[in-house]
Amino acid sequence: MDNQEVSMDVEAQIENNDDDRTLPFSVFKKANLPITLRFENVVYTVKVKEQKSWPWETKGKTQERSILKGLTGIVKPGEILAMLGPSGSGKTSLLTALGGRVSEGKGKLTGSISYNNKPFSKGVKRATGFVTQDDALYPHLTVTETLVYTALLRLPNSFKKHEKIKQAEAVVTELGLERCKNTIIGGPFLRGVSGGERKRVSIGQEILINPSLLFLDEPTSGLDSTTAQRIVSILWQLAHGGRTVVTTIHQPSSRLFYMFDKILLLSEGNPVYFGLGSNAMDYFASVGYSPSVERINPSDFLLDIANGVGSDESQRPEDLKAALVVAYKTNLLESVINAVKEQDDHSNQSIEKHGDSKHFGDWPTTWWQQFCVLSKRGLKQRRHDSFSGLKIGQVFIVSLLCGLLWWKTNLYHLQDQIGLLFFMSSFWGFFPLFQQIFTFPQERKMLEKERSSGMYRLSSYFMSRVIGDLPMELILPTIFLTITYWMAGLNPKAVKFFLTLLVLLVHVLVSGGLGLALGALVMDQKSATTLGSVLMLTFLLAGGYYVRHVPVFISWIQYVSIGYYTYKLLILGQYTENEWYPCGENGKLKCHVGDFEGIKHIGFHSGFSSSVALAVMLVGYRVVAYIALMRIGKTKSG
């Protein structure tokens, strides 16, 4: 099938979609601002640590590794550039660089990348859509909800709310997602939409803003040939609406190969071909490399030679790769450089002026709008986890078990009562810690994706996340204490109950804050869980219940222990220093609670300083988490 036949097929598909043109928004309409993308001599190097030669070495040697080695090219509005190459050839690195998403501190990027002859800027960022390979989507949201929330966040306030919703619904229709619009996205262990539908949802999120530039990383990965063709047909239509489309693709079928306007073939970071897809086979034949069989998928042949596998089996792969690089520099590089330097009709159009006309300030929506939308989206996504039957059942069982074990204890069993108070501080230290420690590691991909696209402020996301988790954090411990407190026979005065509840809720929030901070700092679930366990066990041991005579050189631990301050306040909330309790043989004597061995070393002083310490931790841990998150989605290009 030649390029002309493929074009006719796509035109026929566009004609079949004419009925959708009555919608208020069309994803296939003309781009607001055509953008010409140029890149010249792009080099990207990263520092790689070598493995330690000996176990006792503190650090491995660091060396620089070149990922991209002098890439040059141009993509104009209406064109699709497909970047091909073996795994590890630098396709995704180049796509990330062209999309302005190279993370700070991860490598050194040199060369020139321009958009209508201007460097990357906020205006370019607003006009760019970037579809990642892994489809970062919330599993419990439906297709329509996913696109509606994206529209509410990304479309500027020049659109009214109902207009944003209509645009999202139009995207659902035009991308052929009506059949699954009310189906949840799903995940590895949650049944939802198919792989092709997930990919179309990811593309829909980006084209909602009618981008002038669209970058896609492996959009057909893991899809069958029919679904892959449907995805590429959508890209073809988008490009022919005046957009500049750049995509990486691993091994397209011959049918897909001829739908791409330009091909960039990479081999170990080196360019070995740049030009029209229809001319690729003729070029390699002209430099002495032809397929061994007549009928072959062009992409299969290109990937073979990029891997150093040619028809001459005696030629070493390294020699073939080096020969291809030399042939490119000799035969193609000069014409590519000349094409990059040529002026076109869009070279001097102002991107910043276009961006400012569509947005207010640096963000498409206000802080409060972002907070409200993110809060609603977060509650819909997390309600299944926060109030799952498993978690509620766990709390009910533990509270009932505690109530039965400590059934109707009183001051005759003072040691048992303070044991219950310490258990409450321990259980409600670990439980919220491990609920919150996974928060940011689980949402890292989503946060990186949305922050890189400039969807919302970090502060609005963080506050919506913290406040949105309050129902789960506060309701479950309230249920626990309400059941256990009265079954265990603790002080029946209402003021004592509410004071104990207040201390417990603050303790839960502080422990949850520690979990947020650890998760944000480490950003790895396994490592964060291990670190959290060690810290909480340390706080537990220094909490004042197990060890009463702590050596001076390690006694400082109790002053950073959440459990220590909580345990002290729980005791202060239950008893007074001069309160009597039965003591001696058979409880015939009366003693002061303040003289009880298990309470004496805790003391009835410093209640205010303990409250202040918890308040400082309550705020401090969340500040640490916020600062740690500031590095997420931060790029060199803006």
Side-chain angles (χ1 to χ4, degrees), residues 32-34 115-116 118 345-352:
N32 291 328
L33 175 70
Y115 313 81
N116 286 357
K118 299 293 189 298
D345 297 336
H346 315 294
S347 296
N348 298 316
Q349 292 191 38
S350 174
I351 300 172
E352 285 301 323

Side-chain angles (χ1 to χ4, degrees), residues 3 6 12 32 70 81 118 147-148 154 205 297 300 330 345 348 367 390 419 514 577 583 608:
N3 200 19
V6 173
N32 291 328
L81 169 65
K118 299 293 189 298
L147 292 171
V148 166
R154 296 195 71 178
Q205 284 186 303
N297 181 351
D300 291 340
T330 303
D345 297 336
N348 298 316
W367 189 95
L390 185 63
L514 176 60
E577 186 173 9
C583 61
F608 177 75

Side-chain angles (χ1 to χ4, degrees), residues 5-24:
E5 290 175 342
V6 173
S7 298
M8 291 176 64
D9 285 347
V10 177
E11 292 289 354
Q13 290 182 28
I14 296 176
E15 290 177 2
N16 291 334
N17 288 330
D18 284 344
D19 293 340
D20 295 334
R21 301 302 168 173
T22 57
L23 291 166

Side-chain angles (χ1 to χ4, degrees), residues 32-33 35 121-128 154 156-158 209 212 349-364:
N32 291 328
L33 175 70
I35 294 179
S121 62
K122 290 180 179 178
V124 175
K125 191 175 187 178
R126 293 169 187 154
T128 298
R154 296 195 71 178
N157 283 334
S158 55
I209 61 171
S212 300
Q349 292 191 38
S350 174
I351 300 172
E352 285 301 323
K353 183 178 179 181
H354 164 76
D356 292 340
S357 67
K358 293 292 182 183
H359 294 76
F360 296 102
D362 294 336
W363 305 95

Side-chain angles (χ1 to χ4, degrees), residues 340-548:
V340 170
K341 294 185 180 301
E342 287 180 0
Q343 294 295 316
D344 64 353
D345 297 336
H346 315 294
S347 296
N348 298 316
Q349 292 191 38
S350 174
I351 300 172
E352 285 301 323
K353 183 178 179 181
H354 164 76
D356 292 340
S357 67
K358 293 292 182 183
H359 294 76
F360 296 102
D362 294 336
W363 305 95
T365 53
T366 65
W367 189 95
W368 181 250
Q369 287 175 312
Q370 294 170 9
F371 172 79
C372 292
V373 174
L374 290 170
S375 297
K376 291 177 182 177
R377 187 181 72 173
L379 287 174
K380 278 204 169 187
Q381 162 61 22
R382 296 192 300 275
R383 64 185 176 184
H384 306 277
D385 296 327
S386 299
F387 295 104
S388 66
L390 185 63
K391 289 181 182 177
I392 295 174
Q394 178 183 359
V395 171
F396 265 104
I397 291 172
V398 173
S399 60
L400 288 172
L401 187 60
C402 289
L404 293 172
L405 287 173
W406 277 277
W407 179 259
K408 296 300 180 182
T409 58
N410 50 38
L411 290 179
Y412 281 95
H413 309 94
L414 186 56
Q415 179 63 45
D416 290 346
Q417 282 196 348
I418 65 173
L420 174 60
L421 296 178
F422 187 77
F423 173 79
M424 287 194 299
S425 68
S426 302
F427 177 75
W428 288 106
F430 278 98
F431 190 87
L433 174 76
F434 289 114
Q435 294 298 317
Q436 299 297 327
I437 207 168
F438 300 120
T439 297
F440 298 126
Q442 286 179 339
E443 293 198 357
R444 177 173 186 168
K445 290 182 179 179
M446 180 65 71
L447 187 58
E448 286 179 338
K449 168 188 169 181
E450 295 183 337
R451 286 276 296 149
S452 297
S453 64
M455 189 179 293
Y456 47 71
R457 300 167 177 83
L458 179 61
S459 58
S460 60
Y461 164 80
F462 187 80
M463 291 304 297
S464 70
R465 197 65 173 85
V466 169
I467 294 176
D469 286 337
L470 288 180
M472 184 276 291
E473 288 189 280
L474 301 182
I475 291 175
L476 293 182
T478 302
I479 293 173
F480 169 88
L481 188 66
T482 302
I483 295 173
T484 302
Y485 191 93
W486 303 110
M487 289 181 67
L490 295 175
N491 197 315
K493 294 181 180 178
V495 66
K496 296 292 186 179
F497 169 78
F498 285 110
L499 185 58
T500 303
L501 178 61
L502 176 62
V503 173
L504 186 63
L505 293 181
V506 171
H507 175 63
V508 166
L509 292 176
V510 173
S511 299
L514 176 60
L516 291 174
L518 292 176
L521 286 168
V522 179
M523 275 298 179
D524 177 78
Q525 295 185 24
K526 187 176 181 180
S527 301
T529 303
T530 303
L531 181 58
S533 300
V534 172
L535 282 176
M536 195 53 71
L537 284 171
T538 304
F539 293 163
L540 186 69
L541 293 174
Y545 183 79
Y546 294 117
V547 184
R548 297 170 187 170

